């Protein structure tokens, strides 16, 4: 049971990180990146081939290039690749097209990416996917299985803390206001001097890097990665988490990831076996769809809505308010 | 109300700007502007100049092409042909953020506010070249951009007080009345430290007392030396505010001059009567 809960905890942390990246794009800036899971996949593949070693070292799986790099290089490289992919996709999609067409094209890009990887067995081992991906420090630590899970959870939490700090700083900054302005009214944001395409490109890059980091963390935990695991439908699971939790609210988004990614999608594994295993998957997706609809109808702002930002006339008041927060948060804001 | 608005350092120099208004060079020159939507020639060869520090009105019946002309000048709509020379730069065909950064800010006929941003945030969005607006600046944290931001918040509060919106600071723009939203847009434009405002019907659909308030606000800005190009249906306000008025009908510029003279011109009356 401890083993299962730890596994679930790592999944939830990965989900929270991914949802924070998606929230930056969708919640803050209003970019409907329906290709989001593609960035998670890009990070996962990057981390895989950067830890598997040279392709010739295994005969049963094929990939175009590989190296054996120590942690944290696979994670960092994954983030860089995710950011570059965001730049590329953003340049192709965001500059010319209107918002709703952008969303459609991004969905198509996601499906195409999946087909391309599946179709070419020499690129990233095709539809079978990569397996036996080495885990960081697994060989040197000599921990029990549960012990290693605890260690890995700590690594994931470290990454989550870094990502939280990045998105928090953007969130509270004047840049964060610009992102929300673009979400609210692109023409007006442009009319007061903001290059809307550049702003969206920026969140494609940063969000892409965060998605890819989430993918890297996930893949080194489960040690395998295949196209079936990053079907375009996964993107909607992440959107559901952001919508349910509360778009534009970092705590809300984390809560949404916990509820949807943790309890809803993974937790259903705990349900009594009702016979047909395919049925469980179908029920999952149907109830996910229903969940999105219920929230969009009855509580579109989510469980924890975006907070209204007020500015005290006196900066010291804000300091005092900060001091009332839990110690960990205060320390973090003092550094900021 | 007007006293409050002119209660700025610029007041003492208003006589200087009065002189500028007579002698000042053209800050905006529009030459042979055309905007076609397929077969519709929304703007069909319009040329005019706006002298620095003056207020120019743009009037005409519904569908005359006023908004389209303003959008083409401000960069939101790409002109089919023609030149838009603002402060020495040809902006024709350049996107609106380029025009805005050059100092020309446009307000919207409808729905120009950031609905789910507070009034204060609406204003802060348009502060130009702010430290915390680049990604590296934002990652630098509040210590890097906080002091500058606090100064802009104070400036925004001054502008909000002048517009009598100070107590609405923390309201979402979506919770304001139509007239208050127009005021927020004007305040937001001012936060950008503009050289010129392009105003699309700032008083339309606003109750009379608020409309008068907006008119006074614009009049005070003009007296402070800000250049205005103003589309407006309320001709009394246009007459009081504008040094010169252009009349458009069917995409063309059919007359120009002082409002008082234009009232008696037959072609202007025809355009208004025919266009309704
Ligand atoms: N995006 C567009 N596509 C096609 N036609 C357009 C577009 N925008 C405006 N038009 C047309 O161009 C003409 C001028 O419209 P415009 O909005 O500039 O008029 P206006 O003078 O501002 O009128 P109003 O006083 O009603 O605001 C109209 O016939 C309108 O239907
Ligand atoms: Mg109009």
């Amino acid at each position: 049971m401890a083993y299962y809960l730890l596994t679930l905890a790592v999944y939830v942390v990965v989900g929270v990180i991914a949802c924070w990246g998606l929230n930056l794009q969708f919640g803050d800036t209003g970019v409907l990146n329906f290709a989001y899971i593609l960035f998670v996949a890009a990070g996962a593949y990057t981390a895989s081939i950067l830890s598997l070693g040279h392709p010739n070292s295994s005969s049963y799986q094929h990939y175009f290039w590989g190296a054996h790099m120590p942690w944290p290089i696979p994670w960092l490289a994954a983030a860089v690749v995710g950011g570059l992919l965001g730049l590329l996709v953003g340049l192709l999609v965001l500059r010319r097209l209107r918002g709703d067409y952008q969303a459609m094209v991004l969905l198509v890009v996601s499906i195409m990416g999946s087909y391309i990887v599946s179709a070419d067995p020499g690129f990233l081992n095709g539809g079978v996917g990569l397996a036996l991906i080495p885990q960081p420090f697994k060989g040197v630590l000599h921990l029990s299985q549960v012990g290693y899970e605890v260690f890995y959870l700590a690594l994931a939490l470290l990454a989550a803390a870094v990502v939280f700090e990045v998105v928090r700083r953007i969130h509270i900054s004047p840049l964060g206001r610009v992102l929300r302005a673009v979400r609210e009214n692109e023409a007006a944001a442009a009319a007061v001097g903001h290059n809307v395409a550049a702003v969206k490109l920026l969140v494609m890059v940063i969000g892409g890097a965060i998605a890819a980091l989430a993918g890297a963390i996930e893949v080194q935990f489960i040690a395998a990665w295949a196209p079936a695991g990053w079907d375009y439908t996964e993107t909607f699971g992440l959107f559901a988490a952001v919508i349910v939790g509360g778009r534009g609210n970092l705590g809300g988004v984390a809560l949404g990831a916990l509820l949807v990614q943790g309890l809803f999608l993974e937790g259903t594994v705990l349900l009594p076996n009702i016979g047909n295993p395919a049925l469980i998957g179908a029920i999952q997706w149907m109830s996910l769809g229903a969940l999105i609809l219920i929230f969009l109808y009855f509580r579109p702002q989510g469980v924890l809505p975006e907070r209204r930002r007020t500015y005290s006339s006196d900066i010291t008041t804000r300091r005092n308010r900060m001091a009332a927060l839990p110690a960990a948060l205060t320390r973090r804001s003092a550094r900021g | 109300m007007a006293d409050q608005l002119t209660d700025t350092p610029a007041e003492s120099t208003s006589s200087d700007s009065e002189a500028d208004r007579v002698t000042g060079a053209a800050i905006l020159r529009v030459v042979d502007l055309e905007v076609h939507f397929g077969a519709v020639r929304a703007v069909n060869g319009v040329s005019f100049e706006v002298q620095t520090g003056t207020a120019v009105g743009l009037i005409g019946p519904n569908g005359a092409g006023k908004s389209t002309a303003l959008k083409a000048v401000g960069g939101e709509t790409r002109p089919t042909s023609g030149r838009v020379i603002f402060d020495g730069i040809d902006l024709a065909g350049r996107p609106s953020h380029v025009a805005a950064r050059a100092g020309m800010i446009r307000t919207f006929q409808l729905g120009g506010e950031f609905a789910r941003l507070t009034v204060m945030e609406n204003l802060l969005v348009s502060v130009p070249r702010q430290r915390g607006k680049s990604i590296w600046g934002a990652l630098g944290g509040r210590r890097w951009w906080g002091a500058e931001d606090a100064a802009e918040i104070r400036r925004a509060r001054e502008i909000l007080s002048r517009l009598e919106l100070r107590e609405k600071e923390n309201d979402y723009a979506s919770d304001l009345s139509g007239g208050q939203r127009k005021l927020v847009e004007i305040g937001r434009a001012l936060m950008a430290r503009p050289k010129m405002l392009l105003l699309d019907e700032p008083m339309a659909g606003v109750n009379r007392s608020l409309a008068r308030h907006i008119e006074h606000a614009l009049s005070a800005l003009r007296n402070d030396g800000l250049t205005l190009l103003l589309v407006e249906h309320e001709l009394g306000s246009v007459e009081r505010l504008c040094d010169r008025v252009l009349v458009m009908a069917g995409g063309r510029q059919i007359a120009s001059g002082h409002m008082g003279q234009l009232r008696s011109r037959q072609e202007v009356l025809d355009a208004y009567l025919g266009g309704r």
Side-chain angles (χ1 to χ4, degrees):
Chain A
M1 194 61 190
Y3 179 78
Y4 180 74
L5 285 179
L6 282 165
T7 305
L8 196 59
V10 174
Y11 283 161
V12 166
V13 172
V14 166
V16 168
I17 293 174
C19 287
W20 277 335
L22 181 62
N23 180 59
L24 188 69
Q25 299 180 342
F26 164 64
D28 287 342
T29 319
V31 175
L32 287 171
N33 183 1
F34 286 167
Y36 195 72
I37 200 68
L38 186 68
F39 296 86
V40 177
Y45 281 119
T46 304
S48 302
I49 62 176
L50 284 180
S51 45
L52 275 169
H54 195 272
N56 291 347
S57 60
S58 79
S59 52
Y60 56 90
Q61 54 186 350
H62 304 280
Y63 41 98
F64 67 100
W65 181 83
H68 191 80
M69 302 268 193
W71 187 89
I73 293 174
W75 289 15
L76 297 177
V80 170
V81 167
L84 290 175
L85 186 66
L87 186 68
L88 181 74
V89 171
L91 284 174
L92 286 174
V93 173
L94 294 178
R95 284 199 309 176
R96 282 262 161 251
L97 297 174
R98 245 173 45 194
D100 37 6
Y101 290 121
Q102 287 171 7
M104 276 168 58
V105 171
L106 285 164
L107 187 59
V108 171
V109 165
S110 183
I111 295 170
M112 267 167 50
S114 172
Y115 274 123
I116 289 169
V117 171
S118 304
D120 183 355
F123 180 39
L124 292 161
N125 212 36
V128 181
L130 299 170
L132 294 180
I133 294 149
Q135 299 191 276
F137 307 113
K138 182 88 181 223
V140 290
L141 280 174
H142 305 294
L143 292 169
S144 69
Q145 204 171 27
V146 167
Y148 185 79
E149 297 239 310
V150 171
F151 169 73
Y152 200 90
L153 180 61
L155 282 189
L157 284 170
L158 178 71
V162 171
V163 170
F164 175 78
E165 188 56 16
V166 168
V167 291
R168 187 190 69 85
R169 286 188 181 202
I170 293 173
H171 210 67
I172 63 168
S173 71
L175 175 64
R177 290 196 288 258
V178 174
L179 301 186
R180 291 191 296 280
V182 167
R183 176 190 74 196
E184 293 298 315
N185 193 332
E186 289 186 20
V192 295
H194 296 294
N195 184 342
V196 169
V199 168
K200 289 182 169 182
L201 202 55
L202 178 73
V203 298
M204 284 298 282
V205 170
I206 299 173
I210 293 172
L213 178 63
I217 298 170
E218 184 169 355
V219 82
Q220 289 213 299
F221 184 64
I222 57 180
W225 194 255
W230 52 280
D231 191 67
Y232 68 94
T233 51
E234 300 289 331
T235 298
F236 295 105
L238 296 170
F239 268 95
V242 173
I243 290 169
V244 167
R247 55 186 291 197
N249 182 318
L250 295 178
V253 167
L255 180 69
L258 175 72
L259 293 176
V260 175
Q261 297 286 291
L263 299 181
F264 209 75
L265 292 181
E266 307 296 341
T268 39
V269 179
L270 294 176
L271 288 177
N273 196 339
I274 43 171
N276 186 348
L279 200 56
I280 292 201
I283 289 174
Q284 269 181 2
W285 284 113
M286 281 191 298
S287 34
L288 189 72
L291 189 71
I292 295 182
L293 284 180
I294 288 168
F295 268 86
L296 288 182
Y297 271 119
F298 298 110
R299 199 171 165 83
Q301 70 273 38
V303 176
L304 297 175
E306 182 172 69
R307 234 172 287 159
R308 185 197 301 253
R309 285 160 185 80
T310 57
Y311 301 89
S312 53
S313 336
D314 170 17
I315 299 296
T316 52
T317 336
R318 180 160 43 219
R319 291 258 163 75
N320 294 340
R321 211 168 60 215
M322 280 296 190
L325 289 172
L329 274 177
T330 319
R331 243 179 289 126
R332 205 174 282 124
S333 78
R335 259 193 287 124
Chain B
M1 192 161 14
D3 295 346
Q4 224 177 19
L5 279 151
T6 47
D7 187 20
T8 63
E11 194 192 20
S12 55
T13 62
S14 68
S15 58
D16 297 349
S17 61
E18 205 82 41
D20 278 351
R21 216 174 287 158
V22 182
T23 60
I27 192 170
L28 175 67
R29 269 179 55 218
V30 174
V31 185
D32 293 332
L33 189 70
E34 303 225 358
V35 185
H36 303 172
F37 299 110
V40 180
R41 302 190 165 211
V43 179
N44 195 1
V46 169
S47 302
F48 61 89
E49 289 190 353
V50 178
Q51 312 301 122
T52 308
T54 63
V56 171
L58 186 53
I59 64 170
N62 291 109
K66 307 179 297 292
S67 290
T68 307
L70 216 59
K71 284 182 195 166
V73 170
E76 189 181 324
T77 300
R78 205 184 166 81
T80 311
S81 65
R83 299 208 292 161
V84 176
I85 296 155
F86 177 73
D87 211 18
I89 322 164
D90 192 348
L91 289 175
R94 311 292 305 279
S96 52
H97 69 266
V98 175
R101 287 176 193 181
M104 183 163 61
I105 306 282
R106 184 173 80 83
T107 69
F108 290 68
Q109 183 170 351
L110 273 176
E113 71 280 354
F114 302 123
R116 294 298 283 176
L117 259 58
T118 66
V119 168
M120 173 56 84
E121 287 185 300
N122 265 270
L123 266 69
L124 292 174
V125 164
S126 66
V127 176
R129 290 176 297 279
Q130 219 182 340
R131 275 183 166 191
K133 279 187 178 156
S134 74
I135 178 63
W136 302 117
L139 292 179
R142 205 188 293 278
R143 284 207 181 157
W144 172 246
W145 51 257
E148 190 194 56
D149 204 45
E152 295 296 345
I153 290 170
R154 283 193 294 276
R155 192 162 71 89
R157 288 201 171 115
E158 276 167 33
I159 289 175
L160 288 175
S161 304
R162 286 166 60 184
L163 298 173
E164 295 182 355
L165 274 178
R166 180 67 169 81
E167 68 279 17
K168 300 281 179 191
E169 173 184 319
N170 292 325
D171 288 18
Y172 282 124
S174 55
D175 294 339
L176 301 182
S177 73
Q180 290 169 331
R181 292 182 207 189
K182 297 264 180 188
L183 280 168
V184 168
E185 267 200 77
I186 292 171
R188 190 177 73 192
L190 295 177
M191 286 301 285
R193 300 185 162 90
K195 294 177 185 142
M196 177 170 183
L197 298 187
L198 309 175
L199 300 151
D200 200 345
E201 303 201 16
M203 288 163 251
V206 174
N207 73 53
R208 189 168 294 171
S209 83
L210 204 48
R212 204 172 309 123
H213 175 42
I214 294 173
E215 183 188 322
H216 285 304
L218 294 176
S219 160
L221 292 172
R222 194 199 62 152
N223 290 338
D224 288 354
L226 191 63
T227 311
L228 305 177
L229 177 59
L230 168 83
V231 172
E232 186 51 61
H233 279 296
E234 172 40 49
L235 298 184
S237 301
V238 172
E239 178 156 20
R240 286 186 292 275
L241 270 174
C242 297
D243 303 280
R244 210 161 56 82
V245 175
L246 310 168
V247 188
M248 278 184 79
R252 292 187 182 278
Q253 184 182 330
I254 57 164
S256 76
H258 194 267
M259 194 64 227
Q261 311 154 358
L262 289 172
R263 279 187 192 282
S264 57
R265 298 260 290 268
Q266 193 57 44
E267 65 267 36
V268 177
L269 294 172
D270 288 347
Y272 263 88
L273 295 174
R276 299 244 157 166

